[in-house]
Structures are given as structure tokens and as C-alpha cells.
Amino acid sequence: MNTIAKIFDAFGVEKVYAHCDIPCGIYDPHNAQMAAHTVIRMVQLIQQMKEPSSPGEKLKFTHDLARYTATKEQHAELCKHEVRILVGDYFKPEHVEKHPEIRDLTMKVMKVASKARQNVDMQASEELLELANQIAEIFWQTKGFGTVRYPAPYPTEKETVYPTRKN
Amino acid sequence: MIFLFKVFGHSMEPLFREGDYVLVMRLFDPKKGDVVVIVKNGKKMLKRLSSVSRNNYTVLSDNHGTDSLAFGPLNRREIIGKVIWSTKS
């Protein structure tokens, strides 16, 4: 440590954060995509619920609706969280320069995920997955991978972006 | 006004490393490419100005880090000052 730095240290100078998480280098859009799938699945389950016709059925109806709604809330927020990590911690300025749509996609994820939380809205839920897919395509391109879309092997069966061999 | 800060973190490496000190001057015209100290959500952070447009300032990290891509553009009051001098730890 140089002399000047030692002197400053003695005075307990305030910190300014050039903060970076670890950095671990482990990033993957898959979590955001799966979270969006979960939101879609919860909307499907809610829409499939039948009106209760007995007190016993009413209890189960209320219980199940509460669980589906809570899960939808958690995973819409998880999708936002995962996108924030990719955008805040992974994508560099040169990625944004090459793919300026990253900014717009990020804003849309935040807005659409909120809409999916606030409503039982299949259109918003599917749009959330599509936005997560588009971010995934950009992510894999920055890694030098190709991408392919095909229906996911889940009850949602929605088209999902997956990486292919490295170019 | 002039402020002295100690860098904590890695998002502005290799130019600024953890433990470095930066001297920051408040009175300046922010320009694209300037390294600045900002305050966002009560936390002071070291970033680089990537674009300036009226009262909208976008900052990015030189390395991986939280910046305008995550928290959006800033206004002038959120920029504490420009780094005018630094010393290595």
C-alpha cells in the first residue's frame, strides 16, 4: 500500500461501491424462463378451477386458489429478479451496444411481470415467457451459442429457447 | 466541493480496484466517458457515464456490476461528482 493510501486509511474514508456479486461467472436465463412457465401454469390451474358446491369443496377451492395465486406472485417476481441479475451483473456495455433491444426487453419484463402478478391474465403470462425467451436468445448469442425453440416438456407446452452447440 | 472515497468492489476494474482512493469534484459538466460517483437508493457507487441527455444520465460499469441497466437513468442530483484523481492502494 502506498504512503498516501496509508494516510487516508488512518482517517477512515467513506466507501464508494464498485459492487460486483462475487463475481461467480455463473449466469443462465433458464431460471427466468422457468419462472415464466410457472406463472403460465398457475394461470392455467386457476382458470380450470370449478366453482365449489359444498362447504367442503369451498374450503378446498379457497385453499387451492390461495396457493396458485401465491405461487404466481412468487414466480413473476422471480422472473423479474433473474432478469435484473442478467442485465445488472452479466450483460456488459459491448453486449448492449450490439443488442440495444436489451434495455427495452428489460423494461417490458418488469411491466408485464407486474401485470401477470396483479391479474389472472394468460396473455400477460405468455408475453412474459416470450420476453424471457428473447433475452435468452441474446444471452446465448453473447456466449457464442446458437439457439433453438421448441415446446417445453412441461404441462404449459409453450415454446422455449434452448442453447445449441457453440458456434 | 471535493470528496475523498475508498473504492469497495470490482465493477470498475481494471481502472479502479478495491482499496483504491478517488478524489471527486462536484462542480463539473458531466460528459460521456467521465467516471463519476453517484448515489442511488442511499448507496454511493462508482460508475462511468455512458450517455447524457438533458436531465437523463445513464451509467454503466466497466466490469460486471449493477448500473443503469438495472436501476434506470439518473438525474443530475444523483451524481455526486466526477473522479479527478485517484491513488492505488
Side-chain angles (χ1 to χ4, degrees):
Chain A
M1 186 185 286
N2 69 46
T3 306
I4 295 174
K6 283 181 188 171
I7 294 170
F8 289 155
D9 258 1
F11 286 98
V13 173
E14 185 178 0
K15 285 177 184 165
V16 66
Y17 290 88
H19 181 60
C20 185
D21 301 303
I22 305 297
C24 65
I26 301 174
Y27 302 99
D28 198 312
H30 187 71
N31 289 342
Q33 292 167 284
M34 293 307 101
H37 269 287
T38 304
V39 172
I40 292 171
R41 185 61 184 142
M42 291 306 110
V43 171
Q44 287 176 337
L45 290 172
I46 291 170
Q47 289 177 337
Q48 288 166 13
M49 294 180 79
K50 290 189 174 65
E51 282 292 328
S53 55
S54 70
E57 282 187 9
K58 187 177 179 184
L59 181 62
K60 182 160 174 26
F61 179 93
T62 307
H63 172 266
D64 290 349
L65 182 59
R67 293 187 70 224
Y68 298 153
T69 304
T71 303
K72 179 166 72 72
E73 281 278 322
Q74 286 161 9
H75 284 80
E77 179 55 32
L78 179 60
C79 187
K80 289 167 94 171
H81 174 71
E82 292 292 335
V83 168
R84 283 190 204 109
I85 289 174
L86 288 174
V87 172
D89 294 351
Y90 171 73
F91 286 123
K92 292 183 182 177
E94 55 264 36
H95 297 148
V96 179
E97 205 170 316
K98 195 174 174 189
H99 302 279
E101 65 271 28
I102 289 174
R103 288 196 182 93
D104 189 50
L105 286 170
T106 305
M107 291 269 303
K108 282 181 178 168
V109 164
M110 300 304 142
K111 300 271 187 274
V112 171
S114 290
K115 191 175 179 188
R117 286 175 74 168
Q118 292 158 10
N119 304 283
V120 181
D121 188 335
M122 183 55 79
Q123 191 177 342
S125 306
E126 289 176 344
E127 188 181 351
L128 185 62
L129 176 60
E130 176 54 27
L131 292 168
N133 277 334
Q134 289 181 35
I135 290 174
E137 281 171 333
I138 295 172
F139 174 89
W140 290 115
Q141 276 182 45
T142 66
K143 292 278 192 186
F145 284 80
T147 56
V148 67
R149 285 181 177 237
Y150 51 81
Y154 320 125
T156 51
E157 296 179 333
K158 300 294 177 186
E159 198 176 69
T160 305
V161 167
Y162 296 93
T164 59
R165 287 171 64 124
K166 202 158 187 173
N167 296 331
Chain B
M1 286 184 72
I2 292 180
F3 305 92
L4 182 67
F5 295 103
K6 186 172 184 177
V7 177
F8 182 77
H10 307 280
S11 73
M12 288 301 287
E13 289 181 358
L15 190 60
F16 298 100
R17 296 187 181 276
E18 184 156 288
D20 289 355
Y21 285 90
V22 293
L23 201 62
V24 173
M25 186 168 75
R26 180 159 183 80
L27 295 174
F28 75 106
D29 248 344
K31 288 187 180 57
K32 182 178 172 178
D34 285 346
V35 177
V36 295
V37 171
I38 66 164
V39 59
K40 192 70 180 175
N41 300 323
K43 193 172 179 180
K44 294 186 179 71
M45 292 186 271
L46 186 68
K47 300 292 163 194
R48 188 180 297 279
L49 269 176
S50 77
S51 71
V52 178
S53 172
R54 292 193 181 178
N55 195 31
N56 275 327
Y57 300 86
T58 305
V59 293
L60 293 176
S61 308
D62 283 358
N63 205 342
H64 295 300
T66 307
D67 50 35
S68 283
L69 289 175
F71 51 66
L74 307 166
N75 60 51
R76 179 65 181 88
R77 284 172 302 166
E78 292 174 302
I79 302 179
I80 289 174
K82 171 185 171 178
V83 173
I84 57 171
W85 176 86
S86 67
T87 185
K88 300 299 171 190
S89 59

